[in-house]
Amino acid sequence: MLGLPNGRVILAPWSEQWHEGFLQEKEKIEEVGRPYIAEVHHIGSTSVKYLRAKPVLDIAVELAEFKDGVYVSSLLEQLGYDYKGTEILPDRHYLSKGSPRTHQIHMFERGNSYLMEQLKFRNCLRNNEKVRKEYELLKIKLAEAYASDKFKYTREKASFIQSILRNYG
């Protein structure tokens, strides 16, 4: 199951289909974005086995040079993505796909600190069951409290995420 209505916070149980969907999308992204794309990563909660998540695939695309993001975005539009620009989230080109939204791409320059944090947090959740379960409980609580406010839901997770980034690996 993929798809999240705009502005809503709905968590779904983890699905193997998320991993399979990422692999299929990664192949398409790499095909249209060659040679500008250095690496494609599955990030966010859908990339962590057994973690409830908003049913939207988060994909990080590493570019050799940030300036290439506008051109690569025009290529990704062939796959149904809508380019949202660089002002929505810091230091990245942002794109989304679907209505309701099923995929989102965050394009960073290789080595970007936000990307490195995303990968570090994802890896911690993948490798530490205790942290994964704590994070899932927090997400469930916040999804119930802020079902109609995705920005508040995201802000309220920030202190937990920063604590993990400081204390693990």
Side-chain angles (χ1 to χ4, degrees):
M1 174 183 119
L2 280 179
L4 185 66
N6 208 10
R8 302 287 304 160
V9 178
I10 299 167
L11 299 180
W14 182 82
S15 170
E16 181 66 37
Q17 292 173 344
W18 293 345
H19 176 67
E20 293 166 7
F22 164 74
L23 293 175
Q24 291 169 1
E25 201 70 8
K26 175 183 178 180
E27 190 175 304
K28 294 175 193 173
I29 291 166
E30 288 173 336
E31 188 174 312
V32 300
R34 252 183 230 112
Y36 301 95
I37 293 174
E39 190 79 38
V40 178
H41 305 276
H42 191 183
I43 59 171
S45 294
T46 59
S47 71
V48 179
K49 275 188 177 182
Y50 313 117
L51 180 62
R52 287 182 166 274
K54 293 183 294 182
V56 175
L57 294 182
D58 278 299
I59 300 168
V61 173
E62 283 186 80
L63 302 170
E65 295 190 47
F66 188 74
K67 67 177 178 60
D68 292 333
V70 174
Y71 179 68
V72 173
S73 294
S74 69
L75 299 173
L76 293 172
E77 287 175 341
Q78 299 170 27
L79 301 177
Y81 286 92
D82 294 316
Y83 182 55
K84 306 295 185 181
T86 59
E87 303 301 317
I88 292 178
L89 295 163
D91 290 347
R92 72 196 79 181
H93 297 271
Y94 177 75
L95 302 95
S96 65
K97 179 180 185 178
S99 183
R101 184 171 35 109
T102 58
H103 300 71
Q104 50 193 18
I105 292 178
H106 308 264
M107 271 194 299
F108 300 94
E109 185 169 285
R110 181 168 274 229
N112 176 281
S113 63
Y114 291 107
L115 173 60
M116 296 300 104
E117 286 183 349
Q118 286 279 334
L119 296 174
K120 181 179 178 182
F121 186 64
R122 178 204 65 192
N123 292 342
C124 179
L125 293 174
R126 284 179 172 177
N127 297 320
N128 190 317
E129 184 178 0
K130 179 181 181 285
V131 173
R132 178 181 51 80
K133 287 181 177 181
E134 284 178 38
Y135 186 54
E136 183 172 60
L137 290 173
L138 174 64
K139 288 170 54 101
I140 291 167
K141 179 179 137 191
L142 295 174
E144 290 171 359
Y146 305 114
S148 298
D149 190 342
K150 73 175 184 173
F151 297 108
K152 185 92 170 163
Y153 167 83
T154 300
R155 273 194 310 274
E156 294 293 319
K157 295 186 305 179
S159 62
F160 179 88
I161 293 167
Q162 289 306 312
S163 169
I164 297 305
L165 290 171
R166 279 191 307 275
N167 296 312
Y168 288 89

